Amino acid sequence: AIHLAVAQFESADNMSDTGAAIRALVNCPVEAAAAPREKALTEFYTRWSDEALVIDQWFGMQASCSLPGTLDRVKALMQHEAFTWTNPNRLRSVVVSFAFQNTVNFHNKDGSGYEYLADCVIELNSLNPQLAARVLSPLTRWRKYDLERQALMKAQLERILEQEALSPDVYEIASKSV
């Protein structure tokens, strides 16, 4: 499968085939996929670095990966030269892809996904309160999960509410959810 994905990436003449090959490599749990994955991601970024929407996809593919360790990857992506907190599309490509699409890692039993999202909401509160309020929504659904996850999610909502200078947008969503 790794060889097929690499071959498809190398021979692709359209974005659909290229994206599918990278997604296959990004989500492949076999250790032998690590080097081809990094090579393909680097080549893709280099080729498309001037196309903002394509780079948003590049970020999103990685943030939505269901493999263990993805949260660390997401945090590293937020340190990437192309990432910025002030570009809503770029922010969504990382934060929303992780919190809304990556249910395996976001809902990790250790609560690290919830803490990460709360950290992002707190950071965004002063930069873009409307976006902060929108990305908060996965935590507002805490009642739909098991008791352990409920407690972890609710604790992050309460931590958000404890912040000074909380925007009305974020306050409204968080306070109605606890």
Side-chain angles (χ1 to χ4, degrees):
I2 296 167
H3 297 295
L4 289 173
V6 169
Q8 179 170 321
F9 177 79
E10 291 173 350
S11 66
D13 60 1
N14 62 71
M15 190 61 71
S16 295
D17 289 348
T18 304
I22 288 181
R23 280 184 183 83
L25 290 169
V26 164
N27 288 290
C28 183
V30 179
E31 184 62 36
R37 172 188 316 121
E38 294 310 313
K39 183 176 187 267
L41 286 167
T42 301
E43 288 178 18
F44 186 89
Y45 179 79
T46 301
R47 179 175 180 194
W48 298 102
S49 62
D50 293 336
E51 297 291 335
L53 294 176
V54 178
I55 296 305
D56 288 343
Q57 290 179 357
W58 179 81
F59 276 108
M61 283 187 262
Q62 295 175 78
S64 60
C65 172
S66 62
L67 297 179
T70 296
L71 181 55
D72 291 334
R73 178 93 176 192
V74 166
K75 290 177 180 178
L77 287 170
M78 294 178 80
Q79 302 304 313
H80 191 276
E81 65 182 16
F83 180 83
T84 176
W85 283 90
T86 57
N87 179 330
N89 289 337
R90 189 60 41 91
L91 190 80
R92 280 187 207 94
S93 70
V94 177
V95 177
V96 170
S97 292
F98 179 77
F100 287 60
Q101 298 170 9
N102 194 335
T103 55
V104 171
N105 286 294
F106 178 68
H107 293 290
N108 191 314
K109 280 198 168 209
D110 68 2
S112 57
Y114 309 144
E115 183 178 1
Y116 163 77
L117 184 58
D119 290 344
C120 291
V121 169
I122 291 166
E123 179 72 23
L124 271 174
N125 179 64
S126 62
L127 300 170
N128 188 335
Q130 294 81 20
L131 183 56
R134 281 193 294 271
V135 302
L136 173 61
S137 67
L139 290 176
T140 68
R141 300 181 189 117
W142 60 269
R143 289 174 184 87
K144 295 182 178 189
Y145 297 95
D146 62 75
L147 293 176
E148 287 178 54
R149 287 183 176 88
Q150 285 183 9
L152 293 167
M153 294 170 91
K154 195 171 175 185
Q156 293 306 318
L157 284 167
E158 290 168 354
R159 182 168 74 94
I160 291 167
L161 286 168
E162 292 170 358
Q163 301 303 305
E164 290 185 26
L166 198 60
S167 72
D169 299 305
V170 173
Y171 178 79
E172 179 182 7
I173 301 295
S175 65
K176 288 182 177 181
S177 300
V178 287

